[in-house]
Amino acid sequence: MNKIKSYASKSANQPLEPYQLDRREPNETDVEIKILFCGVCHSDIHTVRDEWGGTMYPVVPGHEIVGTVTRIGSKVNRFKVGDTVGVGCFVDSCGHCHNCEENNEQYCENGHSQTYNSLLQDKKTITYGGYSSHIVVTEKFVLSISDKLPLEKVAPLLCAGITTYSPLKHWNVKAGDKLAVVGLGGLGHMAVKIAVSMGVEVTVLSHSPGKEKDALNLGAHHFELTNVKENMVKMANTFDFIIDTVSAPHDYNDYLALLSTNGVMILLGVPPTPSEVQAFHLIGGRRSLVGSLVGGIKETQEMLDYCAEHNITSDVEMINIDQINEAYERTLAGDVHYRFVIDMASLK
Ligand code: NAP
Ligand code: ZN
């Protein structure tokens, strides 16, 4: 075991604070990574505050990790010491169920191991995430990162990037399709950038008037406020697809009504409480309400390579680790442009 530095929360109502963590020694298939940057996802906040239930304290969040390989096990052959690598939302899975065999480890039928607040495949060892100096991950779940793009802006691709790329590919959202992105935050701004790069016509639906200029600068073609009733009425039956990234409870029915015939609304945001859906909104117009969870490892590598090729990165605000509690408050207030990223060199 190695004793390393991290930031953890010890209960739902306590701030994050310095915490000494035990990391395993790398075994023969493991890669040890010195973490350079870690993005701050809203899922970190839901988990730290136990909004979804089931948080195991102390919890060390963080699943948008970019770093440098410091040690490798004897059987590791895809990476060497000094390589730049990434780790996303999960760090292992059973490897033999139908979904793992199809490269959809995030839907592992035997339960995938998330990067934090989860159990490794021994179903005993708790995982701890990227708000820490190092992480040890089995080779198969480590991603290659191009040195072409600024690494701090690449970190959010490991969750916000793949979570928005994967459904765009799965539902074959293509050039000319009309897509609404609901919520312009970490996920939302990546959905805009990636969809625009694919030639999709993108409208941002936001409850924050101050974000219009940013939305258009990010490449969105239109911006509409959702809290103005006439806007919602005027957009009825408009969109082929809606990507909903909102983290707080909201009424799905208001958005389903904006889908055209056969339109698909894709839930990415996970509000802590359920929402009722009126069947008429689905039946009238043969609409679908679906969801999507991050993306598999193969697809995450494909997304990273796509973003390197198309020069797509996240808009980030850099923070030191001791500003993390303030960053959570600002994220909750919608005051982030558009992803906080922790400079892990500040973890002393
Ligand atoms: P974020 O940066 O905080 O963005 C969420 C956005 O939701 C805000 O920017 C805001 O956009 C909108 N919003 C927030 N509160 C609202 C309210 N009360 N009413 C209406 N809109 C509100 O969060 P994120 O990191 O993008 O994560 C978004 C959600 O996705 C979270 O629930 C997270 O847990 C989930 N998530 C899911 C997956 C997955 O695999 N499906 C992966 C990662 C994260 P406007 O100001 O533009 O309205
Ligand atoms: Zn995330």
Side-chain angles (χ1 to χ4, degrees), residues 42-43 46 184 186-187 206-208 211 245 268 270 292 294 339:
H42 206 118
S43 301
H46 290 306
L184 193 65
L187 265 57
S206 168
H207 81 311
S208 307
K211 292 184 183 175
T245 74
L268 298 182
V270 193
S292 182
V294 285
R339 196 55 135 191

Side-chain angles (χ1 to χ4, degrees), residues 40-44 46 52 63 89 159-160 163 182-188 204-208 211 226 245-250 255 267-271 292-294 331-332 334 336 338-339:
V40 178
C41 178
H42 206 118
S43 301
D44 302 353
H46 290 306
W52 294 331
H63 58 204
C89 297
C159 172
T163 301
V182 190
L184 193 65
L187 265 57
V204 168
L205 303 184
S206 168
H207 81 311
S208 307
K211 292 184 183 175
T226 50
T245 74
V246 175
S247 50
H250 57 294
Y255 299 95
L267 300 181
L268 298 182
V270 193
S292 182
L293 178 69
V294 285
T331 301
L332 288 166
V336 48
Y338 274 85
R339 196 55 135 191

Side-chain angles (χ1 to χ4, degrees), residues 171-188:
W171 277 281
N172 190 27
V173 183
K174 56 187 184 312
D177 285 344
K178 288 189 168 65
L179 166 74
V181 174
V182 190
L184 193 65
L187 265 57

Side-chain angles (χ1 to χ4, degrees), residues 20 87 90-91 98 109 137 167 179 194 197 244 258 276 295 302 304 326 333:
Q20 198 183 57
V87 178
F90 44 98
V91 289
H98 174 71
E109 288 163 13
V137 179
L179 166 74
I194 295 171
S197 79
D244 181 342
L258 309 186
E276 279 188 9
E302 176 189 309
L304 287 166
E326 188 194 326

Side-chain angles (χ1 to χ4, degrees), residues 60-71:
V60 176
H63 58 204
E64 293 184 336
I65 299 165
V66 168
T68 309
V69 174
T70 43
R71 283 195 285 174

